């Protein structure tokens, strides 16, 4: 059975993004736009930790209220419990701020696409977002409407935020048009494409921690301590889960949830990796300028 993060499909030439020296992304801003509390931990936590270390300022945008996911007794408690997990996730990875858009979980395909897009355009302009992480809006085999609706809204908002006639009231309020130049679409389902692999080995413990703070939805969260208790009731113990409850939770993640990222890494000579379909800056002006430099002649 495929695990979360398994089975991306390589497409075209694969670029391996390696750890950079210093702070090459200093001054740049990224936004990771997830639908649910467990998306960022599984799909991009290592890469986000890497890019923050390398200078990015990062914001977390969550589109749903996560009201359906978790063992908590009521819908209200489930929302609150997931919200607390997201606050912890932001602390662990180093996000500067969180925006909860609050759309109802599992129902995003019934929401206004225009409203979601407009809210994202506002945020991309306000935060001056250069780079986004989200779902592939065209991702095959996606069964969760919250995922593709989120991806599609981000994709459209990313370029529209740079236009000067979309939502002129934003400009009257002091915002400026601001295009998102780089997009990383993570691999959420088996068979979704990737053209970039990021070496996350130096940040693997951050990824473990990010999966562990996702207590409400799991998998991860309390899984280690629960397994330990289940075995103890039968008079058994797994030495790998020895230590505190937190140690057991982390050990569980390392033992059972990192394999897809290890397997992907091995294909590219890395210890651990995350995969993305990456779309870089579009810049046609330099091509024109190069042509002018080579071919322009004086009028006389
Ligand atoms: Zn999700």
């Amino acid at each position: 059975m495929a695990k979360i993060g398994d089975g991306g499909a390589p497409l075209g030439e694969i670029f391996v993004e390696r750890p950079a020296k210093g702070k090459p992304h200093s001054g740049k801003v990224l936004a990771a736009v997830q639908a649910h509390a467990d998306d960022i931990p599984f799909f991009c936590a290592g890469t986000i930790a890497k890019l923050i270390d390398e200078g990015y300022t990062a914001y977390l945008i969550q589109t749903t209220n996560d009201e359906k996911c978790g063992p908590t007794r009521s819908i209200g408690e489930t929302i609150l419990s997931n919200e607390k997990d997201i606050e912890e996730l932001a602390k662990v990875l180093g996000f500067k701020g969180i925006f909860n858009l609050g759309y109802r979980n599992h129902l995003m395909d019934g929401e206004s696409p225009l409203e979601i897009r407009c809210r994202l355009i506002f945020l991309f302009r306000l935060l001056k977002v250069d780079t986004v992480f989200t779902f592939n809006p065209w991702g095959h085999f996606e069964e969760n409407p919250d995922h593709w609706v989120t991806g599609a809204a981000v994709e459209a908002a990313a370029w529209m935020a740079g236009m000067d006639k979309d939502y002129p009231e934003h400009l009257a309020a002091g915002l400026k048009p601001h295009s998102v130049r780089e997009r990383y679409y993570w691999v959420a389902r088996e068979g979704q494409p990737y053209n970039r692999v990021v070496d996350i080995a130096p940040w693997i413990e951050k990824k473990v921690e990010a999966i562990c703070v996702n207590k409400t939805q799991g998998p991860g969260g309390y899984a280690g301590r629960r397994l330990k208790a289940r075995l103890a009731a039968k008079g058994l113990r797994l030495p790998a889960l020895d230590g505190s409850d937190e140690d057991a939770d982390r050990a569980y993640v390392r033992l059972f949830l990192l394999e897809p990222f290890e397997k992907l890494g091995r294909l590219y000579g890395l210890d651990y990796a995350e995969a993305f379909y990456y779309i870089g800056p579009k810049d046609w002006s330099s091509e024109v300028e190069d042509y002018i430099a080579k071919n322009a002649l004086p009028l006389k």
Side-chain angles (χ1 to χ4, degrees), residues 23-275:
K23 305 274 179 198
H25 302 300
S26 193
K28 288 171 77 181
V29 175
L30 74 80
V33 189
Q34 66 175 0
H36 314 112
D38 59 343
D39 296 326
I40 288 172
F42 277 103
F43 303 135
C44 68
T47 303
I48 298 290
K50 170 190 190 293
L51 293 181
I52 291 174
D53 259 6
E54 294 171 0
Y56 265 102
T57 299
Y59 293 92
L60 192 164
I61 300 172
Q62 161 121 356
T63 52
T64 81
N65 64 1
D66 263 329
E67 68 185 30
K68 308 287 193 328
C69 298
T72 21
R73 187 171 50 88
S74 74
I75 282 179
E77 284 174 3
T78 307
I79 294 171
L80 179 60
S81 185
N82 276 298
E83 210 173 286
K84 286 179 179 164
D85 288 354
I86 295 159
E87 278 168 22
E88 274 309 303
L89 173 65
K91 273 190 215 148
V92 161
L93 291 180
F95 283 101
K96 191 177 173 190
I98 304 169
F99 293 87
N100 282 306
L101 302 191
Y103 293 104
R104 291 192 65 196
N105 196 187
H106 294 174
L107 301 178
M108 280 197 75
D109 47 343
E111 298 289 350
S112 159
L114 290 181
E115 185 191 281
I116 304 165
R117 186 199 300 166
C118 181
R119 293 180 75 184
L120 290 170
I121 289 172
F122 182 88
L123 284 173
F124 293 166
R125 286 173 170 172
L126 176 73
L127 306 171
K128 299 186 170 61
V129 173
D130 301 296
T131 302
V132 284
F133 284 75
T134 194
F135 298 92
N136 187 321
W138 313 105
H140 283 114
F141 317 115
E142 182 51 75
E143 60 190 24
N144 190 323
D146 299 343
H147 288 179
W148 58 261
V149 170
T150 296
V154 170
E155 179 168 74
W159 64 269
M160 257 178 236
M163 308 291 282
D164 63 358
K165 294 186 184 63
D166 289 276
Y167 307 106
E169 61 274 24
H170 291 182
L171 312 186
L175 299 180
K176 298 225 164 19
H178 184 89
S179 299
V180 174
R181 288 165 57 79
E182 293 177 85
R183 285 173 269 166
Y184 288 72
Y185 296 144
W186 55 60
V187 173
R189 304 286 181 199
E190 218 180 340
Q192 291 186 351
Y194 68 87
N195 61 4
R196 176 171 292 227
V197 163
V198 181
D199 179 1
I200 59 161
W203 295 276
I204 196 63
E205 284 306 311
K206 283 273 184 190
K207 187 174 179 77
V208 170
E209 214 177 327
I211 294 172
C212 281
V213 296
N214 182 33
K215 303 268 185 235
T216 310
Q217 302 193 22
Y222 297 124
R225 69 187 74 182
R226 282 184 184 140
L227 177 58
K228 201 168 151 179
R230 179 157 69 84
L231 294 176
K234 293 179 188 165
L236 295 167
R237 78 172 244 270
L238 284 171
L241 301 184
D242 282 350
S244 67
D245 282 350
E246 286 72 25
D247 291 339
D249 292 339
R250 283 170 160 269
Y252 183 96
V253 172
R254 288 188 205 102
L255 279 170
F256 301 113
L257 299 177
L258 293 184
E259 189 195 334
F261 308 97
E262 210 178 340
K263 216 161 66 183
L264 174 75
R266 271 203 302 276
L267 294 176
Y268 300 93
L270 309 170
D271 289 337
Y272 293 97
E274 289 169 343

